[in-house]
Amino acid sequence: MTATSHPGEPHGAGLGQRLNWLRAGVLGANDGIVSVAALVVGVAGATTDTGALFTAGIAGLVGGAISMALGEYVSVSSQRDSERALIAKERGELRDMPQQELEELTQLYRERGLSEATARVVAEELTAHDALSAHLEVELHIDQDDLVNPWHAALSSAIAFTLGALLPLLAILLPPPEWRVPVTFVAVLLALAATGTVSATLGGAPRLRAATRLVVGGALALVVTWLIGTLLGTTVV
């Protein structure tokens, strides 16, 4: 910890990538829990056959993990491409019209509350030190050394989805047939409460509200898919 930092403050390089990794991980785990739980509970409403439940659960886990990874990779790649394009544009403007860019940086600091003289001094000193970084930070809010990484996001999302999906899969397979659906309901709702709390903590949002939203939504998904499976499926004696 540096002399100017305080405990609990997010100082240090790589913060953007770490937060992106955590965000993708939490979302992936939540999707894995809900989607695979809804799938296996729906199948359990139609049949108690362990083979059918295992096949459906594994198919949902593998397909969902791949889908989540691809979605995160495409989304984050697009974001990184946009950031790189903005960096290239700013680099070109600094090369072709440095004086106008200095005036722009001065004005940006004036809009932040600095006096004309102070803003000018700050702009000139930052331009002399690293003009590109100064403009990216103040004008575009980009750190060229901390761009988002699509591979990190894709991998963390796939792993988190798989870990989340394992919970309902094990909950539906391990208990006796008559306990499968109730055990899965309880396990899934507790897990959703936990992921909602973690997600709210990462984002600085109210924890109870976030957890409640996930629990209610997850319970609704489970009830609906179980009812569909019960109504459209067959009864196995």
Side-chain angles (χ1 to χ4, degrees):
M1 185 171 64
T2 65
T4 58
S5 63
H6 303 284
E9 288 187 346
H11 295 285
L15 176 63
Q17 290 192 28
R18 289 197 299 273
L19 290 179
N20 183 66
W21 185 89
L22 288 171
R23 175 191 61 83
V26 171
L27 291 177
N30 183 69
D31 284 349
I33 293 169
V34 175
S35 60
V36 174
L39 178 62
V40 295
V41 165
V43 174
T47 179
T48 58
D49 181 66
T50 301
L53 291 171
F54 179 78
T55 301
I58 291 297
L61 186 155
V62 174
I66 294 174
S67 177
M68 286 292 296
L70 287 175
E72 280 294 326
Y73 181 82
V74 171
S75 174
V76 177
S77 292
S78 297
Q79 179 183 345
R80 188 176 63 172
D81 290 343
S82 297
E83 291 175 342
R84 286 176 170 174
L86 289 171
I87 292 172
K89 179 176 181 292
E90 194 64 37
R91 184 180 287 112
E93 291 175 348
L94 287 168
R95 180 188 62 244
D96 298 335
M97 42 185 182
Q99 188 58 40
Q100 292 93 322
E101 287 296 294
L102 178 60
E103 297 295 337
E104 180 182 36
L105 189 60
T106 301
Q107 181 60 33
L108 289 171
Y109 276 110
R110 286 201 64 192
E111 292 174 359
R112 291 191 170 193
L114 298 182
S115 66
E116 173 68 32
T118 303
R120 185 72 179 189
V121 170
V122 170
E124 289 176 347
E125 292 188 357
L126 288 176
T127 297
H129 175 68
D130 190 340
L132 180 60
S133 292
H135 279 268
L136 292 177
E137 178 184 356
V138 179
E139 183 179 348
L140 302 173
H141 310 293
I142 294 176
D143 182 353
Q144 62 179 330
D145 297 321
D146 189 27
L147 299 182
V148 291
N149 188 314
W151 288 107
H152 288 176
L155 182 61
S156 65
S157 182
I159 292 174
F161 185 97
T162 300
L163 293 176
L166 285 174
L167 173 70
L169 184 59
L170 294 175
I172 204 74
L173 292 176
L174 295 181
E178 65 272 15
W179 285 100
R180 285 174 174 170
V181 172
V183 168
T184 303
F185 263 78
V186 172
V188 166
L189 295 184
L190 288 175
L192 289 177
T195 59
T197 301
V198 172
S199 178
T201 301
L202 290 175
R207 298 176 184 178
L208 180 59
R209 183 184 304 171
T212 300
R213 281 198 298 259
L214 283 181
V215 169
V216 172
L220 181 61
L222 294 179
V223 169
V224 170
T225 54
W226 181 78
L227 287 175
I228 291 174
T230 301
L231 294 174
L232 301 181
T234 57
T235 301
V236 177
V237 180

